[in-house]
Amino acid sequence: MRRRGLLKAALPVGAAATALGGARAIATGDSASDAPAPRGRDRIDVHCHLIPDFYRQSLTEHDITEIGGVPVPAWSPTLAVGFMNRYGIQTQVVSVSEPGVTYLSAAEDRVTMAQRLNTYMSRDLVHTASARLKGRFGGFAVLPLGGPADERDVDNAVTEAKRAVRELKLDGVGIFSSYGGTYLGDPVFEPLMKTLNELKAMVFIHPVTPQHFPDLGLPPFLYEFTFDTTRALVNLLYKGVLRRYPHIRWLAAHAGGTLPYISYRTSLLTVTPAVAQQLGIAGLDDSSPHFRQLFYDTALSPAPQAMKSVRELAGPKHILFATDWPFTNTLYLAAGDPAPQLAETFTPAERLTVERFNALAQFPALAARIGAESS
C-alpha cells in the first residue's frame, strides 16, 4: 500500500486518538501541565520541505514520482504560507528531502541543480523582496552529493556549502544520513566536516531510504527512515566526528530516529558510561555527552513516547518544533494546534521554548530577519 493510502486510512483513528488523548490528559492531570493558552503565529518550523516546479519537473523526467513511499506532494510558496497561517507558524526553515540531487548521474548536473535550488531558496524565499513572503522562510542548503559520494562530490559540496552560507546567507546546511550506503562519519566526508565546522553551521540530518533494507511491504518512511538516522548518528560518534568538530550544530530529524531510546546502549563502547558505572555516579553521562549536545526535532514524533525520551536525553532546550510538511499534509485537517501531544511532555512555557525560542537561538540570522528575540 502506498504511504499516502496508509496515512489516509489511519487518519480518522489517529485524529480521534489525538483529540481524546489530549482531552484525557487535561481532564485527569496526566500531562506535564494544563493545555497551553491560545497563541498567535509564533511557531518556527525547522523541518519542512520545498519542491519548486523546476525540481519537480526534473524528478518527473527521471521517473521519480514517490519519495519515501509517498507520491510527491503539491508545494508552492502560497500553499506553504496558507499552511503556516492555519497552524500558528511564523516561519518555515525549508530543506530538500530525499533524493536531493543524488538521482542525477553526472557530478556537473548535481552541482547545477544544487546551485539552482539554493539560489531559488535564497532569492525567492529566505531573502525575498515579496512583502507577502518576507519573513516566512528560512533555508537549509542542499549539497551536490551523489550516491555513493566520492572525493569529487565532496569537493563540490565544500564549495557549495561555503557559497550557500557566506554568499546566499542561508540558515544552515542539509545533509542526508547516507549516500548510496556511505554513512555520515565515513572518512570520505572529512573535508566537508572540516568546512562545516569552520562555518559553525547548523547541519540538518534528514534520513533516506537505506540500501538493501528488508522489504515488509510497507513504505520505508514508517521505520526505515528512523533507523537510517540512528545509523548516521552512531557512526558520527564512533568515527570521532562529533568530537573533532565541536562547532557543528547537528539537528537530527524525527526526534533522532531511534537514538534517544537506545542512546545508553549505543554509548557502551565509549569510556564514559563504564567510568560512571564503576564510580557509582548514577545518571552522569550514561549516554554519550555528544548525543546530549545534539538537537532533535519533533517531526512525526510529538507523542510522549518519543518526546519524553528526547527530553530525558537532551533536555527541552535541544528540541525544536517541526511538521515535515508537505509530506505530512494528510495529517493536518483543521486549523489550530499542530501538535497537541506536546502538552503531555512540556509545560506551556516549555512548549514556547520548543516551538519558538530554541529555533531563534540557533538561527540568529533568521531571528534578525523577523525582528524577534531569542527569549
Side-chain angles (χ1 to χ4, degrees):
M1 185 182 295
R2 298 294 189 219
R3 175 181 174 185
R4 176 167 291 180
L6 284 169
L7 289 175
K8 286 183 176 179
L11 200 51
V13 175
T18 296
L20 290 173
R24 181 182 65 250
I26 293 171
T28 63
D30 289 340
S31 65
S33 72
D34 289 340
R39 288 161 38 187
R41 196 177 67 198
D42 57 19
R43 295 179 175 90
I44 309 295
D45 184 351
V46 301
H47 176 174
C48 42
H49 301 292
L50 76 164
I51 312 168
D53 289 342
F54 65 85
Y55 181 61
R56 181 189 303 276
Q57 180 179 347
S58 179
L59 293 175
T60 301
E61 291 171 352
H62 288 80
D63 297 322
I64 298 172
T65 59
E66 291 189 350
I67 295 175
V70 61
V72 179
W75 180 89
S76 71
T78 297
L79 288 173
V81 169
F83 172 78
M84 286 188 267
N85 289 345
R86 288 194 301 276
Y87 291 99
I89 298 168
Q90 182 175 7
T91 303
Q92 288 184 337
V93 185
V94 295
S95 58
V96 179
S97 185
E98 181 187 32
V101 298
T102 62
Y103 67 97
L104 298 168
S105 58
E108 295 82 359
D109 293 339
R110 292 194 289 273
V111 169
T112 298
M113 180 57 76
Q115 289 178 341
R116 188 175 182 186
L117 283 163
N118 292 333
T119 298
Y120 171 83
M121 203 183 303
S122 174
R123 182 194 61 209
D124 291 25
L125 298 178
V126 178
H127 303 290
T128 180
S130 167
R132 181 175 59 88
L133 302 181
K134 191 175 181 63
R136 305 311 300 270
F137 294 97
F140 288 112
V142 61
L143 299 179
L145 293 167
D150 57 23
E151 292 182 3
R152 182 182 181 187
D153 265 352
V154 172
D155 287 343
N156 291 337
V158 165
T159 300
E160 184 61 13
K162 291 178 180 178
R163 184 182 84 98
V165 173
R166 293 173 177 169
E167 297 177 25
L168 299 181
K169 306 296 183 183
L170 294 179
D171 297 293
V173 173
I175 197 166
F176 291 155
S177 51
S178 61
Y179 291 85
T182 303
Y183 280 84
L184 293 184
D186 190 277
V188 71
F189 296 116
E190 198 70 7
L192 178 58
M193 298 300 105
K194 181 179 180 181
T195 295
L196 296 174
N197 192 64
E198 292 170 353
L199 293 171
K200 298 182 178 180
M202 173 65 86
V203 179
F204 174 49
I205 302 175
H206 194 277
V208 296
T209 304
Q211 289 191 332
H212 314 305
F213 68 93
D215 186 2
L216 304 183
L218 295 168
F221 91 96
L222 279 176
Y223 49 92
E224 290 295 344
F225 271 23
T226 64
F227 300 156
D228 218 55
T229 300
T230 304
R231 294 184 188 103
L233 295 173
V234 172
N235 206 41
L236 286 169
L237 173 66
Y238 283 100
K239 294 300 191 299
V241 173
L242 302 180
R243 172 180 53 80
R244 289 196 303 277
Y245 301 112
H247 299 304
I248 300 176
R249 290 165 296 135
W250 298 97
L251 173 60
H254 310 123
T258 65
L259 181 76
Y261 179 73
I262 62 172
S263 59
Y264 174 79
R265 180 188 179 112
T266 56
S267 301
L268 289 177
L269 296 184
T270 65
V271 66
T272 305
V275 170
Q277 186 175 8
Q278 289 296 320
L279 296 178
I281 307 174
L284 177 60
D285 292 335
D286 288 339
S287 299
S288 169
H290 295 292
F291 289 158
R292 297 182 183 277
Q293 293 164 6
L294 303 176
F295 293 89
Y296 302 85
D297 77 36
T298 70
L300 290 173
S301 309
Q305 297 94 317
M307 282 296 102
K308 290 185 179 181
S309 184
V310 180
R311 180 188 177 120
E312 181 68 21
L313 175 62
K317 289 188 177 296
H318 279 244
I319 304 171
L320 285 73
F321 170 76
T323 65
D324 209 350
W325 188 87
F327 290 95
T328 55
N329 55 14
T330 57
L331 297 178
Y332 295 96
L333 293 179
D337 188 344
Q341 306 97 321
L342 293 176
E344 299 183 54
T345 301
F346 304 105
T347 68
E350 288 171 338
R351 281 199 66 177
L352 194 57
T353 296
V354 166
E355 294 179 320
R356 180 172 178 81
F357 292 134
N358 289 342
L360 295 178
Q362 296 306 317
F363 299 98
L366 184 154
R369 290 198 305 272
I370 64 176
E373 298 182 358
S374 60
S375 62

